[in-house]
Amino acid sequence: MKVRSQITFASLAFLITGSSLLYTSPTSIVKAETTQNESKSLQTSTLQDHNSVKQAMGETLQLGFPGILAKTTEGGKKWGYATGVANLSTKKPMETDYRFRIGSVTKTFTATVVLQLAGENRLNLDDSIEKWLPSVIQGNGYNGNQITIRQILNHTSGIAEYSRSKDADFMDTKKSYTAEEIVRLGISLPPDFVPGKGWSYSNTGYVLLGILIEKVTGNSYAEEIENRIIEPLELLDTFLPGNSSVIPGTKHARGYSQPDEASEIKDVTYYNPSAGSSAGDMISDADDLNKFFSYLLGGKLLKEEQLKQMLTTVPVGRNGIEGYGLGISEIKLSNGVSIWGHTGGILGFSTIAGGTLGGNHTLVVSLNSLGRDNSPNPFKNILLAEFNK
C-alpha cells in the first residue's frame, strides 16, 4: 500500500519539541489583529457553555501568537472556535479546519504502534533494545543490554537528547536527516543517567523506536502508523510527510518562529520535518486528533493490558504534570481533572491534544507559532476552561 508519507517535495528542516516545550509552551512576540471565526458546522449545542474557552483563547492570543484554533468533542457532540490570523501578511483569519504540524504529538502515534506490537506478542516491552538493534546503542557510556523498550517509551532510558549536540543544526530549514543520523547525534553525548534511574525527555529515544518498528515489522514506522491507525480510523487529514516540506493542500495557516527578541519573525511554513522522524514529524488537523485520542482513550486501539501499561506513569518532577506514561502524559489540572495527552512543538506550530479517560471528552488546540520556552503556558487556562467541573 502506498503511504502518503512517501510523497516527496522540496526539502526544508525542523526543530522538534524537547523537554522544555513538552511542559513549558512557548510564546512568540508577533502582534496580530484579532479576528474570530466560530465554525458554523460545529456550533452544535454541547454540555457546557464555551464562552470561558473563547475568553481563554483570546487571552492566549494576546501573549503575541498570530492565531489559535481549538476543537472539542464531548459525548459525541463537537464544537470549534478560531481567533487571530493565519497569515500575518494578508491578515487571513484562522480557521478551525486547518491542518498543522503536530510535533511531539507524533510520539503518541509511535507509542501506540509499539504497544500494538506488544499486544500481538511480536515484542516485549521489557526486551532490551540490544536484542532488536544489536550494537546500535553501545559505547560512550551506553549499553543497549541495559535499556528496555519500556524505558525508551517513558523517557527513563537515559539516552541523551540529540538536539543538544553541537553538530545538530535544526534551524537549517533545508537539511534532511536519516533516523540513523539522529540517533548517532544523540549517543555522541553521554547518557543523562543510568537506565531506569531518572527521567529526561528524549526525542532520540523515539526516533530509535521508529527504527525498532521497522526491524520488527519490515515496514517503516510511517507505513505502520498509516496501516494501523490512519486508514482504519479514516484520518483523512493526517500525514507522515517524510522529507516533504509541504503541508498538503491549502487548508493550513502559515507557521512562524522568532527565536529571540532580537530576531525578526520568520515564516517557516515550508519545513523539512525529517529531523523529527518518529518523534515529531506528523501533520494533522483537530478533528483527526480528537478522533485518535477518543479511540485511544476509549480502548479501541489497544488491548486492555497494553492500554493499562500506556497509562502507567513515572514521575517527571515538573509542575502540573502528574506523570509520563508510554507516549502519553497525565496533566493534573487545578480543579482535580486529569487530562491524558501530549503537547507538540515544531518550527511554526505549537499543539496540545488529549482528553479524559474513556475518550468521551477530548480537546485539540493549535497555535501557528513556536516561540521561546521561558514564556507562560498558553494552554493552561484553555484546558481549565474546557474541562472545568
Side-chain angles (χ1 to χ4, degrees), residues 247-383:
I247 300 175
T250 59
K251 293 194 309 179
H252 63 82
R254 308 298 297 185
Y256 298 96
S257 178
Q258 188 178 32
D260 54 61
E261 291 188 23
S263 301
E264 293 185 1
I265 300 162
K266 294 180 64 176
D267 186 326
V268 289
T269 307
Y270 294 102
Y271 192 76
N272 176 348
S274 61
S277 188
S278 49
D281 69 354
M282 290 178 66
I283 293 165
S284 191
D285 73 356
D287 278 338
D288 278 6
L289 290 180
N290 273 323
K291 189 173 187 179
F292 168 66
F293 276 97
S294 179
Y295 272 65
L296 178 64
L297 296 172
K300 297 177 182 178
L301 287 176
L302 294 174
K303 295 178 180 178
E304 183 178 357
E305 176 59 27
Q306 278 66 52
L307 182 58
K308 178 181 177 181
Q309 294 194 50
M310 173 179 260
L311 300 176
T312 299
T313 63
V314 293
V316 303
R318 294 178 183 262
N319 186 33
I321 305 298
E322 189 72 10
Y324 195 95
L326 306 184
I328 197 166
S329 61
E330 181 185 8
I331 303 170
K332 181 65 71 72
L333 302 180
S334 60
N335 61 5
V337 175
S338 285
I339 306 303
W340 293 86
H342 218 290
T343 56
I346 186 169
L347 277 182
F349 297 91
S350 303
T351 302
I352 191 167
T356 54
L357 287 183
N360 181 66
H361 190 180
T362 62
L363 168 70
V364 175
V365 182
S366 177
L367 300 152
N368 60 330
S369 177
L370 179 67
R372 296 179 298 279
D373 56 356
N374 59 352
S375 311
N377 185 332
F379 302 121
K380 179 181 177 181
N381 290 338
I382 299 171
L383 287 171

Side-chain angles (χ1 to χ4, degrees), residues 83-94:
T83 186
V85 297
N87 187 318
L88 286 171
S89 297
T90 66
K91 306 304 180 186
K92 182 179 180 180
M94 183 66 85

Side-chain angles (χ1 to χ4, degrees), residues 66-89:
I68 181 172
L69 66 86
K71 280 190 175 181
T72 70
T73 61
E74 185 176 7
K77 298 177 180 179
K78 299 180 179 180
W79 176 85
Y81 182 69
T83 186
V85 297
N87 187 318
L88 286 171
S89 297

Side-chain angles (χ1 to χ4, degrees), residues 114-115 117-129 131-132 147-151 153 209 212 216 306 309:
V114 173
L115 285 160
L117 292 171
E120 296 162 8
N121 295 316
R122 299 177 69 178
L123 58 79
N124 189 298
L125 296 182
D126 294 315
D127 286 342
S128 72
I129 196 63
K131 173 180 177 178
W132 291 100
I147 297 172
T148 67
I149 296 170
R150 186 189 307 275
Q151 289 169 340
L153 283 163
L209 291 174
L212 171 69
V216 174
Q306 278 66 52
Q309 294 194 50

Side-chain angles (χ1 to χ4, degrees), residues 48-57 381-382 385-386 388:
Q48 63 180 47
D49 179 5
H50 283 92
N51 285 335
S52 59
V53 179
K54 293 181 186 179
Q55 180 178 343
M57 290 173 67
N381 290 338
I382 299 171
E386 176 62 28
N388 189 30

